[in-house]
Amino acid sequence: MKTMQTNRAGLPATMKTLATAAALVVLAGCGGGGSDSTPGGTAVVGPLTLSGVVAARAAATGQSVDIQCASGTGTATSNADGSYTVTVTDGQLPCVLRAKGTADGDLYSVATGSGRTATANLTPLTHLVVASMAGGTPATFYNNFGADMGALVTPARVEAALATVQADLTARGIQTAAVGNPITAALVPAGTAQTANPYGEVLAGLEASLTTTGTTLAQLVTAVAKASPTVRLPAELLRQPQASNCAALRSGTLRFVWITPAELKADGDLGTVSRVTLDAPMLTFGNANGTSTSVTADGTCRYKGSTGMNGDPAEVVVSQGGVMLASSTIGGVKRLGIGFPEQSLTLADLAGEYNMMQVESNQGVVVGSGLTFRLNASGAVESAACQPGEVLARTCTPLSGLFPKLSVNAAGGFTMTSTDPAEPWTSRWFAYRTGSGDVVLMQIDQGGTFGFASPKVARTLPSLGTSRSWGASMDMERVASATTFGETTYLTKRVDAATDSYVRTIRNPLLATDDSHDQTIQHNWPRAGWTHLAAGSSPTPSGSLVSFREWVNLRLLGTGLSVTYSVPTATQAPVFSFTVTQ
């Protein structure tokens, strides 16, 4: 993937670029630690048995349980004690479940893992966990569930959602921690012939609390969903001191990667890849070479100062997911860099299918590519699709040949290594697991190829309302257009589920003249997980026309960061951009 050259067997050597791109996309990572991610690899399809208990205020008897899985569907009916068991023919996890018409209305749950059996209770607590994980109503999540949304249902995402639900209920005086994971915990609900166990007692207590406060489960779901942003900090960062003007900036060890076409330099050189220690309350960065540098606040989650590299001026913005976008002048050239908290992740944590936005040199021409690849639990690339330059392809060319493999790098992160003896190469990768449980990847190599990867998940349409972001762009020589970040406001004014598109009004708030104009954004185009804007023009309030370029965008799930590739035209060179949601 590193280049589009052909190896001796006549097979595309594109995986070299893909590996590089994936490494850049991985925003952070080190060796060690445990894994709770669903392993990637070839899907196993066959009989899948699900079981659990349906309970609202008490055991829900005779309830219809509907199951949708990544592959396969099924239906069951609960017994007198609320229990059910169903075998899904040709089933494949993950699954989403619905119990229809209980005393609390329809209840939802999920089943995760990679085996042939799974437990999935359906209770008000599991209903809340699904609402938190989806960041919306469980019914909408269930109705739109499909194989391309399977990456949203992982053990890590369930754990993150469970932590949010427990914190919300604790604040309401409802203690649920003793239950553990309500989806898989042993449950004996109150019934005509049985006494509730601790989980059943918690359910009874929840119902009593809702009755006392005059709150419905639907109202509680809405509150939990709103308190469960899809972009949030990992739990371990929430325990660290924060900057006074930014809850997302926390003390700890950070990895910085500067996107340059130069040779990849050693850690501590501060040329391309470096490791720093952040004191968030003091806004100081300690460098590996013993020096330190400070920044000053320049608005919420925005800072200015120097990078510590020859005292060059720098600017930094921080996303809600704790990822930094930095700009600075390095060697007299304006550059952009990415910073992210360092974590202990294993190869198994990275397993899964990814979309990747990558920039590479193809036969002497620097082009953007939109790739898809799958990593297994041992770090091997099992499959990949899309040739360099196929950024707009609706259907990608499957790649073949000797795919590369990731290994743990003792200096932090990972190394992607070619398995083709006729074309040896390596590239550096980093990974970051966000507070939503998603793992994103970043790749960079010595030739300047870089990329960002995110779990392959279909995009969902946004809610109506406003948002604001910072942005920066660079050309194909990795030269930034400016060292100061731009700002943009968005108003989502209309969504169209039939066409999977929405209309937004976009404006530069820093301009004296109102340049507001509409754009129609297409989701899951050219393929699932991507976003597309067709070239066009739109009038401003004054009647003047604003022209805009065609682009494709990839959101890095859970980070608050997205990357965009503006497609070249006969008169315009390609541009690579970053957007950070404020």
PDB file of all heavy atoms in Angstrom, residues 47 52 60 91 96 128 301 307 336 343 349 408 469 490 535:
ATOM      1  N   PRO A  47     -24.668 -21.544  13.559  1.00  0.00           N
ATOM      2  CA  PRO A  47     -25.670 -21.402  14.606  1.00  0.00           C
ATOM      3  C   PRO A  47     -25.144 -20.551  15.758  1.00  0.00           C
ATOM      4  O   PRO A  47     -24.073 -20.807  16.298  1.00  0.00           O
ATOM      5  CB  PRO A  47     -25.916 -22.848  15.051  1.00  0.00           C
ATOM      6  CG  PRO A  47     -25.486 -23.690  13.886  1.00  0.00           C
ATOM      7  CD  PRO A  47     -24.331 -22.952  13.278  1.00  0.00           C
ATOM      8  N   GLY A  52     -30.963 -15.068  27.850  1.00  0.00           N
ATOM      9  CA  GLY A  52     -30.977 -14.014  28.848  1.00  0.00           C
ATOM     10  C   GLY A  52     -32.327 -13.960  29.522  1.00  0.00           C
ATOM     11  O   GLY A  52     -33.118 -14.915  29.445  1.00  0.00           O
ATOM     12  N   ALA A  60     -40.805 -10.434  32.788  1.00  0.00           N
ATOM     13  CA  ALA A  60     -41.699 -10.166  31.659  1.00  0.00           C
ATOM     14  C   ALA A  60     -42.011 -11.494  30.984  1.00  0.00           C
ATOM     15  O   ALA A  60     -41.161 -12.086  30.321  1.00  0.00           O
ATOM     16  CB  ALA A  60     -41.055  -9.195  30.688  1.00  0.00           C
ATOM     17  N   GLY A  91     -25.812 -17.148  12.230  1.00  0.00           N
ATOM     18  CA  GLY A  91     -25.675 -15.905  12.991  1.00  0.00           C
ATOM     19  C   GLY A  91     -24.236 -15.487  13.182  1.00  0.00           C
ATOM     20  O   GLY A  91     -23.322 -16.318  13.220  1.00  0.00           O
ATOM     21  N   VAL A  96     -28.262  -6.849  18.123  1.00  0.00           N
ATOM     22  CA  VAL A  96     -29.074  -5.914  18.892  1.00  0.00           C
ATOM     23  C   VAL A  96     -30.440  -6.561  19.067  1.00  0.00           C
ATOM     24  O   VAL A  96     -30.962  -7.210  18.151  1.00  0.00           O
ATOM     25  CB  VAL A  96     -29.168  -4.537  18.190  1.00  0.00           C
ATOM     26  CG1 VAL A  96     -29.736  -4.662  16.805  1.00  0.00           C
ATOM     27  CG2 VAL A  96     -29.981  -3.553  19.015  1.00  0.00           C
ATOM     28  N   LEU A 128     -30.886   1.602  28.883  1.00  0.00           N
ATOM     29  CA  LEU A 128     -30.116   2.830  29.084  1.00  0.00           C
ATOM     30  C   LEU A 128     -28.704   2.700  28.523  1.00  0.00           C
ATOM     31  O   LEU A 128     -28.148   3.667  27.985  1.00  0.00           O
ATOM     32  CB  LEU A 128     -30.066   3.178  30.573  1.00  0.00           C
ATOM     33  CG  LEU A 128     -31.395   3.594  31.216  1.00  0.00           C
ATOM     34  CD1 LEU A 128     -31.242   3.710  32.728  1.00  0.00           C
ATOM     35  CD2 LEU A 128     -31.904   4.895  30.627  1.00  0.00           C
ATOM     36  N   CYS A 301      -9.860  25.639  25.187  1.00  0.00           N
ATOM     37  CA  CYS A 301      -9.170  24.516  24.526  1.00  0.00           C
ATOM     38  C   CYS A 301      -8.316  24.967  23.349  1.00  0.00           C
ATOM     39  O   CYS A 301      -8.043  24.181  22.429  1.00  0.00           O
ATOM     40  CB  CYS A 301     -10.176  23.457  24.072  1.00  0.00           C
ATOM     41  SG  CYS A 301     -11.002  22.600  25.438  1.00  0.00           S
ATOM     42  N   THR A 307       6.873  25.500  20.146  1.00  0.00           N
ATOM     43  CA  THR A 307       6.935  24.042  20.164  1.00  0.00           C
ATOM     44  C   THR A 307       8.153  23.526  20.892  1.00  0.00           C
ATOM     45  O   THR A 307       8.289  22.330  21.102  1.00  0.00           O
ATOM     46  CB  THR A 307       6.980  23.502  18.721  1.00  0.00           C
ATOM     47  OG1 THR A 307       8.162  24.005  18.103  1.00  0.00           O
ATOM     48  CG2 THR A 307       5.767  23.925  17.945  1.00  0.00           C
ATOM     49  N   LEU A 336       1.915  20.908  10.175  1.00  0.00           N
ATOM     50  CA  LEU A 336       0.851  20.507  11.083  1.00  0.00           C
ATOM     51  C   LEU A 336       1.251  19.227  11.797  1.00  0.00           C
ATOM     52  O   LEU A 336       1.990  18.396  11.242  1.00  0.00           O
ATOM     53  CB  LEU A 336      -0.461  20.284  10.318  1.00  0.00           C
ATOM     54  CG  LEU A 336      -1.039  21.495   9.589  1.00  0.00           C
ATOM     55  CD1 LEU A 336      -2.282  21.088   8.802  1.00  0.00           C
ATOM     56  CD2 LEU A 336      -1.369  22.612  10.571  1.00  0.00           C
ATOM     57  N   GLN A 343      -1.140   5.441  25.393  1.00  0.00           N
ATOM     58  CA  GLN A 343      -1.850   4.371  26.083  1.00  0.00           C
ATOM     59  C   GLN A 343      -1.110   3.052  25.911  1.00  0.00           C
ATOM     60  O   GLN A 343      -0.243   2.927  25.049  1.00  0.00           O
ATOM     61  CB  GLN A 343      -3.272   4.223  25.507  1.00  0.00           C
ATOM     62  CG  GLN A 343      -4.153   5.439  25.687  1.00  0.00           C
ATOM     63  CD  GLN A 343      -5.454   5.303  24.907  1.00  0.00           C
ATOM     64  OE1 GLN A 343      -5.471   4.778  23.788  1.00  0.00           O
ATOM     65  NE2 GLN A 343      -6.537   5.793  25.483  1.00  0.00           N
ATOM     66  N   ASP A 349      -6.008  -5.285  20.580  1.00  0.00           N
ATOM     67  CA  ASP A 349      -6.877  -4.120  20.736  1.00  0.00           C
ATOM     68  C   ASP A 349      -7.161  -3.440  19.397  1.00  0.00           C
ATOM     69  O   ASP A 349      -8.158  -2.745  19.246  1.00  0.00           O
ATOM     70  CB  ASP A 349      -6.233  -3.100  21.680  1.00  0.00           C
ATOM     71  CG  ASP A 349      -6.191  -3.567  23.114  1.00  0.00           C
ATOM     72  OD1 ASP A 349      -7.155  -4.218  23.548  1.00  0.00           O
ATOM     73  OD2 ASP A 349      -5.196  -3.300  23.802  1.00  0.00           O
ATOM     74  N   VAL A 408       4.694  -4.811  17.911  1.00  0.00           N
ATOM     75  CA  VAL A 408       4.883  -3.792  18.942  1.00  0.00           C
ATOM     76  C   VAL A 408       6.259  -3.146  18.777  1.00  0.00           C
ATOM     77  O   VAL A 408       7.261  -3.840  18.579  1.00  0.00           O
ATOM     78  CB  VAL A 408       4.746  -4.404  20.344  1.00  0.00           C
ATOM     79  CG1 VAL A 408       5.096  -3.386  21.418  1.00  0.00           C
ATOM     80  CG2 VAL A 408       3.331  -4.933  20.547  1.00  0.00           C
ATOM     81  N   SER A 469     -16.249  24.615  14.646  1.00  0.00           N
ATOM     82  CA  SER A 469     -15.020  23.835  14.563  1.00  0.00           C
ATOM     83  C   SER A 469     -13.829  24.725  14.249  1.00  0.00           C
ATOM     84  O   SER A 469     -13.976  25.854  13.767  1.00  0.00           O
ATOM     85  CB  SER A 469     -15.150  22.757  13.481  1.00  0.00           C
ATOM     86  OG  SER A 469     -15.188  23.349  12.194  1.00  0.00           O
ATOM     87  N   TYR A 490     -21.521  25.880  11.731  1.00  0.00           N
ATOM     88  CA  TYR A 490     -22.426  25.071  10.918  1.00  0.00           C
ATOM     89  C   TYR A 490     -23.824  25.100  11.521  1.00  0.00           C
ATOM     90  O   TYR A 490     -23.981  25.050  12.752  1.00  0.00           O
ATOM     91  CB  TYR A 490     -21.960  23.616  10.852  1.00  0.00           C
ATOM     92  CG  TYR A 490     -20.532  23.429  10.410  1.00  0.00           C
ATOM     93  CD1 TYR A 490     -19.501  23.332  11.357  1.00  0.00           C
ATOM     94  CD2 TYR A 490     -20.197  23.345   9.069  1.00  0.00           C
ATOM     95  CE1 TYR A 490     -18.188  23.153  10.964  1.00  0.00           C
ATOM     96  CE2 TYR A 490     -18.884  23.168   8.658  1.00  0.00           C
ATOM     97  CZ  TYR A 490     -17.887  23.069   9.612  1.00  0.00           C
ATOM     98  OH  TYR A 490     -16.582  22.896   9.221  1.00  0.00           O
ATOM     99  N   ALA A 535     -18.847  19.259  -5.911  1.00  0.00           N
ATOM    100  CA  ALA A 535     -18.469  20.629  -6.254  1.00  0.00           C
ATOM    101  C   ALA A 535     -19.707  21.415  -6.657  1.00  0.00           C
ATOM    102  O   ALA A 535     -20.652  20.886  -7.252  1.00  0.00           O
ATOM    103  CB  ALA A 535     -17.454  20.623  -7.394  1.00  0.00           C
TER     104      ALA A 535
END
